[in-house]
Amino acid sequence: MKIGFDISQTGSGKAGCGYFAHAIINAMLTIAPRHKYSLYPSFGDFYFDPAMWSQNAYLGKDVLYGPHHPTLASAREFWNQPELETTLGQPDIIHSNNFWTPLQIANTRLIYTLYDLGFAMDPEWTTEANRVGCFDGVFRSSIAADWVVAISEYSRANFLRVFPHFPPEYVRVVYPCSRFNDLLRLGEPPIITRQLGSNGFWLSVGTIEPRKNQRMLVKAYAQYLQSTERPMPLVLAGGKGWLMEDFEAQLEYLGISENVTMAGYVSDDELIWLYRNCYANLYPSRFEGFGLPVLEGMQFGAATICSNTTSMPEVAADSAILLAPDDRDAWTQNMLDLGANEELRYKLSLAALERAKQFNWERSAAALLGIYEEAIRSPKRQK
């Protein structure tokens, strides 16, 4: 197969979407080096990282890099040209991973990764520009894509509810996995957390933004501090997102600034250390397409409390404490109960390690390659 694959979001500041594309292309190169791969460091006109082409080296005998562009304007002109397939060398597969979708693909099979539709669920979760751009990309995929690859059963069902005209047999689930493949890595503590002892802090990982629900979590944590005689600090690991400019002021208002460590965007080594050494991993997100921090924490044995909504029960199954994301009192009470029960924490840690074994990048890559092969054997979708 001649596979054209979008790697535009796999640069140094990558988040969940970029980690999926990065890990699964590496896995495909490992298990199926016989194919010809063209990797696109820019893709479309919605997301643009001018330094992307220099960030990652994907190696293989038949691995080429597609064009990179110095400006968004030049990328927009390239990806919207009428003869795009010809310019790209007539690949068998073009796989979009960054929400944008080309509409002019006549022969090549177009595969689209669907992460989630969170941007369409609540206007308070993101900016208007991001909401419009993401919705435009997913809507275009519902018209132009031959197959959609959803990252969870929940995302698949949600897509088909919103876009019932898309044939359900062409929407398949390929689960993400942890980006960490060395379970023996101990990691290094972030400088800002080096005063914290092992197993002596709560952890919550994720971009600081409304959908991740840190506002509720810190209110629950403030109640926890008032109710325990042996309080543990809370570490928030994640870059600053949108619509949360007053978040640190909220910590001041709650009187908990000295108890909350804002670690910011952390390196892989630092994140591994945090997962390994936290007392428990707290993930109160309101909406997820998958919920990667839940799985990553479990991979390193972190006892986990997470939301019981959207895709997160698929990831955690019965290996975590599942709570409604808006039930602040339940989050407080479970922090109090778990903080006082080392035996329960140990059982959750063991269950987490076993659950994480169910997710494997090579299995996911093999499933994706199977979809490619089926797509090539099938006629182009009738629009």
Side-chain angles (χ1 to χ4, degrees):
M1 283 186 289
K2 293 171 64 177
I3 299 168
F5 193 85
D6 163 23
I7 58 166
S8 61
Q9 287 191 313
T10 65
S12 60
K14 56 184 169 289
C17 303
Y19 283 121
F20 177 86
H22 173 70
I24 208 158
I25 188 60
N26 272 324
M28 286 195 291
L29 292 172
T30 298
I31 68 172
R34 63 190 179 278
H35 300 305
K36 297 182 184 298
Y37 296 88
S38 293
L39 308 183
Y40 306 136
S42 91
F43 193 82
D45 59 16
F46 174 55
Y47 178 87
F48 183 70
D49 177 1
M52 169 48 273
W53 65 274
S54 64
Q55 297 295 331
N56 292 316
Y58 298 99
L59 304 177
K61 180 179 133 180
D62 286 310
V63 178
L64 300 174
Y65 278 76
H68 77 273
H69 304 279
T71 66
L72 176 59
S74 60
R76 178 179 293 115
E77 181 179 359
F78 178 88
W79 288 104
N80 287 290
Q81 64 178 292
E83 301 301 321
L84 180 62
E85 287 171 279
T86 301
T87 306
L88 293 174
Q90 299 289 351
D92 298 310
I93 297 290
I94 292 176
H95 191 151
S96 167
N97 290 298
N98 78 0
F99 280 94
W100 183 82
T101 313
L103 296 177
Q104 70 275 44
I105 305 302
N107 299 301
T108 297
R109 303 307 188 262
L110 177 61
I111 313 295
Y112 183 84
T113 299
L114 173 73
Y115 300 103
D116 66 73
L117 294 172
F119 55 83
M121 300 296 110
D122 190 323
E124 295 185 358
W125 290 352
T126 185
T127 64
E128 184 68 13
N130 186 70
R131 182 165 51 254
V132 170
C134 290
F135 189 87
D136 178 66
V138 180
F139 176 72
R140 286 159 60 112
S141 79
S142 78
I143 296 170
D146 294 290
W147 293 70
V148 167
V149 172
I151 62 170
S152 66
E153 293 291 349
Y154 175 82
S155 281
R156 178 184 184 275
N158 197 26
F159 175 81
L160 291 171
R161 280 194 297 270
V162 177
F163 303 107
H165 59 272
F166 198 94
E169 64 270 25
Y170 295 136
V171 187
R172 301 286 175 79
V173 173
V174 175
Y175 282 121
C177 311
S178 171
R179 65 185 182 272
F180 304 119
N181 54 20
D182 182 358
L183 298 181
L184 299 179
R185 283 172 70 179
L186 299 179
E188 291 288 337
I191 292 174
I192 198 170
T193 66
R194 286 182 180 169
Q195 78 281 5
L196 302 178
S198 179
N199 304 327
F201 61 92
W202 304 101
L203 174 67
S204 187
V205 175
T207 303
I208 309 298
E209 63 183 39
R211 180 167 63 92
K212 300 298 184 180
N213 207 22
Q214 290 96 346
R215 288 192 191 279
M216 185 286 300
L217 179 62
V218 296
K219 290 176 183 177
Y221 177 70
Q223 293 179 172
Y224 155 84
L225 289 177
Q226 294 171 358
S227 304
T228 181
E229 296 179 357
R230 298 176 54 197
M232 287 182 282
L234 171 65
V235 175
L236 300 178
K240 292 183 179 179
W242 38 55
L243 306 178
M244 295 284 278
E245 292 81 5
D246 63 340
F247 183 63
E248 292 186 50
Q250 181 185 9
L251 300 181
E252 292 281 354
Y253 176 78
L254 292 170
I256 61 174
S257 293
E258 292 185 0
N259 303 90
V260 178
T261 298
M262 301 280 290
Y265 190 92
V266 296
S267 70
D268 284 359
D269 261 350
E270 290 169 336
L271 187 54
I272 288 170
W273 187 89
L274 291 169
Y275 283 139
R276 281 192 177 280
N277 290 278
C278 67
Y279 187 84
N281 184 24
L282 312 177
Y283 200 67
S285 179
R286 297 178 183 275
F287 188 103
E288 292 293 324
F290 182 76
L292 199 56
V294 174
L295 177 60
E296 289 177 344
M298 287 183 163
Q299 181 186 24
F300 291 103
T304 302
I305 306 176
C306 70
S307 295
N308 64 358
T309 60
T310 64
S311 62
M312 287 165 280
E314 282 181 67
V315 181
D318 58 357
S319 301
I321 297 170
L322 302 175
L323 302 174
D326 291 322
D327 192 343
R328 183 198 314 173
D329 291 343
W331 283 82
T332 298
Q333 190 60 54
N334 276 273
M335 292 171 70
L336 291 167
D337 292 345
L338 183 59
N341 192 336
E342 286 276 0
E343 183 179 356
L344 174 59
R345 176 178 177 267
Y346 179 68
K347 289 179 179 177
L348 287 171
S349 178
L350 291 181
L353 289 168
E354 286 302 309
R355 178 62 183 164
K357 293 176 183 177
Q358 305 304 310
F359 298 86
N360 176 278
W361 274 119
E362 292 192 357
R363 283 199 299 270
S364 292
L368 182 57
L369 287 164
I371 293 170
Y372 290 172
E373 290 165 357
E374 190 173 350
I376 291 171
R377 292 193 304 267
S378 305
K380 283 282 288 183
R381 176 183 157 219
Q382 296 299 307
K383 311 302 193 288

